[in-house]
Amino acid sequence: QVQLVESGGGLVQAGGSLRLSCAASGRSFNTYAMAWFRQAPGQEREFVAAISQSGRGTDYVDSVKGRFTVSRDNAKNTLYLQMNDMRPADTAVYYCAASTFYYYVRPGNYGSWGQGTQVTVSS
């Protein structure tokens, strides 16, 4: 199992930027595909972005393409999500997740989760 801790959330105005981090500990970080999900009040958890073990493969939900960038630093055991041109619709609790196989888009395929970090975008 890998333990995950998110940080970097906060309040930002529309059009602004934030960078989320997810620090991993435990089993070798570079053996996990990683992802970011988000969940707004009253809504289901939504896939945001994912990245392969090497970092060469990525995937994004259409609503964040061109605005968000997922990356990882395997030497630092850390996953990142750079969020630019943010919108009120991006407001949610953001979670990082780890999979031992592939960078899936379904939350059920991820076995390890962080506690989440709140992101609020004001209009």
Side-chain angles (χ1 to χ4, degrees), residues 67-86:
R67 301 188 299 122
F68 290 10
T69 302
V70 61
S71 63
R72 64 191 296 161
D73 186 336
N74 287 341
K76 295 183 178 180
N77 292 348
T78 304
L79 172 74
Y80 302 100
L81 184 67
Q82 178 67 44
M83 304 185 290
N84 299 328
D85 188 24
M86 297 184 71

Side-chain angles (χ1 to χ4, degrees), residues 29-43:
F29 179 66
N30 62 2
T31 67
Y32 288 91
M34 301 295 296
W36 290 98
F37 289 82
R38 65 188 179 187
Q39 189 166 18
Q43 298 188 20

Side-chain angles (χ1 to χ4, degrees), residues 86-100:
M86 297 184 71
R87 305 167 182 171
D90 296 321
T91 296
V93 176
Y94 283 70
Y95 299 90
C96 65
S99 167
T100 55

Side-chain angles (χ1 to χ4, degrees), residues 52-69:
S52 66
Q53 286 86 337
S54 68
R56 287 191 288 269
T58 58
D59 195 8
Y60 298 89
V61 66
D62 285 347
S63 61
V64 307
K65 286 180 179 177
R67 301 188 299 122
F68 290 10
T69 302

